[in-house]
Amino acid sequence: MTWGGMILPEDHMYRWPDYYDWTSEGLDGDLSYYADLAMKVGGPVLELGCGTGRCTLGIARHGLDVVGIDRESIMLQQAARKAEALGLAHSCRWIQGDMSQFELDEQYPLVVIPYRSFLHLMTPREQLDTLSCIHRHLKDDGILAFNIFVPHVRHMTEEDGKYLYRGSFPIPGSGSRVEVYDGLQFDHFNQHAFVIRYYERFDSQGRTEERLRTRFSLRYIYPAEMDLLLRSSGFEVCNRYGGFQREPFGPDSDELIIEARKADSL
């Protein structure tokens, strides 16, 4: 199985959808932002890197049809189970595929890439191929919306080679909890971040039930570089925000939310 042009390792984080759901709560306000945008633009909505469907289902709850694409079949299976349990299966279509080389028979008024999933594209070529695919699948008056974190060199330097505690998360319906730790390494020449993520599951008495060592990687992108990638792919940025409440984007922002349209539609 491939991931980001590479063989997906057996210990990759996305091979463990339950742990992903228990510990990946999203970013503050991101679900409301994408759902509100979808209601304004209308459906159907195409989501790339949909994972287990957190945002997909959040949009579908508002009566919109959503198509979710993800590389990892086990994540999509989890998403489909959740959609069925919520009575939303009729509104959701799940497709296993690569966001950099998908072909569908439809164009969409809104394409979204939530939760920094664009950063899992590990080369500029993959990033450009993805934007080219989106351009072909976006209606002429459609919107592309996505978010990435803003890399701050000082923070990355402080975290490089460190082992960081990410939090303790309850497992719904049980007294158990999962604690998350990350080991970080950066390759600043290629703008790559490599993360070893440890999950440790404890019962209500504090006894270890399971411990997993997983990993994932990403390529971080600077804001000016992201603008260039979009322009090179036929997009123009129409809005940039520093938070999901549409706060202005500036030098101190930690998150970059972009809304873009086809350049020839402006």
Side-chain angles (χ1 to χ4, degrees):
M1 184 177 299
T2 60
W3 184 81
M6 304 177 291
I7 300 298
L8 182 66
E10 291 300 314
D11 63 347
H12 198 278
M13 182 180 72
Y14 296 133
R15 301 299 298 272
W16 302 93
D18 285 336
Y19 280 87
Y20 179 84
D21 276 348
W22 293 332
T23 62
S24 298
E25 300 174 329
L27 303 170
D28 186 28
D30 66 342
L31 185 55
S32 295
Y33 164 79
Y34 284 108
D36 289 347
L37 183 61
M39 286 187 287
K40 290 176 184 175
V41 174
V45 178
L46 176 62
E47 181 185 350
L48 304 180
C50 66
T52 62
R54 183 180 65 90
C55 280
T56 324
L57 298 172
I59 294 171
R61 283 190 179 98
H62 295 279
L64 298 173
D65 290 336
V66 191
V67 176
I69 295 179
D70 200 275
R71 277 199 179 101
E72 185 53 66
S73 62
I74 196 168
M75 299 286 277
L76 293 173
Q77 291 166 16
Q78 180 100 325
R81 287 192 293 269
K82 290 160 65 175
E84 188 69 35
L86 292 169
L88 296 172
H90 63 286
S91 298
C92 300
R93 178 184 172 200
W94 310 104
I95 298 174
Q96 185 178 6
D98 185 332
M99 73 169 74
S100 68
Q101 52 187 4
F102 64 93
E103 290 291 342
L104 304 177
D105 57 0
E106 187 174 2
Q107 288 187 315
Y108 298 84
L110 177 63
V111 179
V112 299
I113 318 174
Y115 210 18
R116 305 169 174 170
S117 293
F118 190 83
L119 299 181
H120 286 312
L121 301 163
M122 295 300 289
T123 66
R125 181 72 266 161
E126 288 182 345
Q127 294 162 355
L128 289 168
D129 286 347
T130 296
L131 292 172
S132 177
C133 275
I134 294 169
H135 197 277
R136 292 196 304 274
H137 289 84
L138 190 67
K139 289 188 173 182
D140 287 344
D141 59 348
I143 294 176
L144 163 64
F146 64 102
N147 64 285
I148 58 176
F149 73 80
V150 179
H152 294 291
V153 174
R154 179 174 60 84
H155 294 163
M156 291 189 292
T157 301
E158 291 173 350
E159 293 179 347
D160 196 9
K162 301 291 178 58
Y163 184 62
L164 303 174
Y165 175 67
R166 296 301 194 193
S168 179
F169 304 86
I171 298 176
S174 76
S176 300
R177 301 186 69 86
V178 177
E179 293 188 354
V180 180
Y181 298 84
D182 284 345
L184 301 175
Q185 283 192 317
F186 292 97
D187 170 1
H188 296 296
F189 182 81
N190 292 300
Q191 295 175 209
H192 288 170
F194 303 98
V195 183
I196 303 295
R197 174 157 291 182
Y198 296 91
Y199 295 113
E200 189 156 12
R201 179 175 173 174
F202 298 93
D203 67 15
S204 59
Q205 303 300 312
R207 294 182 291 254
T208 298
E209 296 180 316
E210 188 172 36
R211 192 167 193 260
L212 301 176
R213 179 185 184 274
T214 71
R215 55 177 156 162
F216 66 96
S217 54
L218 54 84
R219 183 179 187 273
Y220 56 87
I221 305 171
Y222 290 96
E225 180 188 8
M226 191 69 248
D227 285 350
L228 179 59
L229 287 167
L230 287 162
R231 287 199 302 270
S232 300
S233 302
F235 289 96
E236 288 288 346
V237 174
C238 48
N239 289 304
R240 294 201 306 175
Y241 303 114
F244 291 103
Q245 304 300 319
R246 294 176 171 79
E247 300 92 336
F249 179 75
D252 297 325
S253 299
D254 293 321
E255 199 72 19
L256 172 59
I257 298 99
I258 288 178
E259 295 174 3
R261 293 184 182 271
K262 290 182 175 181
D264 53 11
S265 71
L266 297 176

